[in-house]
Amino acid sequence: MPTGSFPFGLEPARVNSKADLGNLMDNRQKHILIVDDSEDIRKMYALYLTQKGYRVSAAHSGEEGLENAIGIGPDLVVLDLWLPKISGWEVLRRLKSDERTKHIPVLVITGKTAIPPRECDGFLTKPCPLDQLGVEIAHRVGALPPQSPRPPVV
């Protein structure tokens, strides 16, 4: 496919070495559910995360997001708070109070509130740079080692 035919200037991931393939395979085991009412946002995040080697599912409403989270059991949910049918606030509350889903990390991404809900596992504001989204997701699903302070130099 010619360059420039992908939305937002993104292109599919290219595998240049066995190490790249190994990294992609490690990430491919992780499944991310994107719940956002904006089709453009869902497509942009899905393309970026697929390019990084994740499996991605998407939902356009809170109701569909809850159904998918219970049915799929993703490794992480990316959740907008302002959704039709069931608000993201309510989706988050239900996910964290349900035995089937309370272990799933929820990364809230929204442009309409500055205070993160206490139940969420991470919080970003829109517009969010894709690389920042990628780092936040990778840390929460274990694709990157957690950052630890360096020991003092003596």
Side-chain angles (χ1 to χ4, degrees), residues 99-112:
E99 288 296 321
R100 298 169 292 181
T101 57
K102 70 181 186 180
H103 66 281
I104 300 171
V106 178
L107 177 60
V108 169
I109 301 182
T110 190
K112 296 181 182 173

Side-chain angles (χ1 to χ4, degrees), residues 39-111:
E39 183 177 1
D40 289 340
I41 294 285
R42 287 192 315 271
K43 285 181 177 180
M44 179 177 60
Y45 290 171
L47 182 60
Y48 175 76
L49 293 171
T50 301
Q51 190 176 31
K52 292 294 184 185
Y54 295 101
R55 291 182 325 170
V56 178
S57 298
H60 71 279
S61 69
E63 182 178 67
E64 184 181 13
L66 276 172
E67 290 171 5
N68 287 353
I70 292 167
I72 294 169
D75 295 293
L76 181 133
V77 175
V78 175
L79 178 67
D80 185 19
L81 293 178
W82 304 97
L83 297 168
K85 298 188 181 181
I86 301 173
S87 76
W89 297 90
E90 181 63 15
V91 170
L92 179 61
R93 187 192 69 73
R94 290 186 192 181
L95 288 173
K96 292 303 184 176
S97 63
D98 188 316
E99 288 296 321
R100 298 169 292 181
T101 57
K102 70 181 186 180
H103 66 281
I104 300 171
V106 178
L107 177 60
V108 169
I109 301 182
T110 190

